Amino acid sequence: LPGALEILDRQMVCRWVGVPSERATWMVKGKSSSMYVCLTDFCTCPAFAYSVLQKPEQYYCKHLLAVRLAEALGKFEERRMPDPEYAASLSKSFA
């Protein structure tokens, strides 16, 4: 929980939204200027791969928890962009 709260305090949660489709993806900035993609129950961070996928007793990494808190509290930035730009930006995030 402390890591997720630090992410919120630093305003590192952003929701990317494609227009006009309204498709949305959560992005969370990491400490080392990396960006992590957070989907419903998945995060691209190394901690998710290690701590969540390999250890079933942990359900979320700090990025996913921060997204849940940010959404519930309305504490996130929203970046709206045309669908082609959204698709290209998201594709770059997985490269």
Side-chain angles (χ1 to χ4, degrees), residues 20-37:
S21 70
E22 294 299 313
R23 290 187 180 103
T25 303
W26 292 96
M27 305 298 291
V28 179
K29 291 179 189 172
K31 286 185 179 179
S32 62
S33 73
S34 52
M35 291 289 286
Y36 298 116
V37 179

Side-chain angles (χ1 to χ4, degrees), residues 7 28-30 34-39 42-53 58 60-64 93-94:
I7 289 170
V28 179
K29 291 179 189 172
S34 52
M35 291 289 286
Y36 298 116
V37 179
C38 292
L39 305 174
F42 180 80
C43 180
T44 57
C45 76
F48 183 85
Y50 178 73
S51 299
V52 178
L53 295 179
Q58 187 170 333
Y60 294 110
C61 63
K62 66 182 179 182
H63 308 103
L64 280 174
S93 298
F94 283 102

Side-chain angles (χ1 to χ4, degrees), residues 2-88:
L5 293 174
E6 181 182 349
I7 289 170
L8 282 183
D9 287 344
R10 293 182 180 216
Q11 301 176 341
M12 299 165 73
V13 178
C14 183
R15 183 170 63 182
W16 288 1
V17 181
V19 177
S21 70
E22 294 299 313
R23 290 187 180 103
T25 303
W26 292 96
M27 305 298 291
V28 179
K29 291 179 189 172
K31 286 185 179 179
S32 62
S33 73
S34 52
M35 291 289 286
Y36 298 116
V37 179
C38 292
L39 305 174
T40 304
D41 289 314
F42 180 80
C43 180
T44 57
C45 76
F48 183 85
Y50 178 73
S51 299
V52 178
L53 295 179
Q54 294 183 13
K55 296 180 182 179
E57 69 271 3
Q58 187 170 333
Y59 297 106
Y60 294 110
C61 63
K62 66 182 179 182
H63 308 103
L64 280 174
L65 187 53
V67 165
R68 301 292 178 274
L69 292 169
E71 187 173 25
L73 299 171
K75 293 187 80 172
F76 60 90
E77 176 188 339
E78 184 171 89
R79 182 173 171 222
R80 299 180 73 76
M81 61 192 90
D83 283 326
E85 181 183 342
Y86 171 82

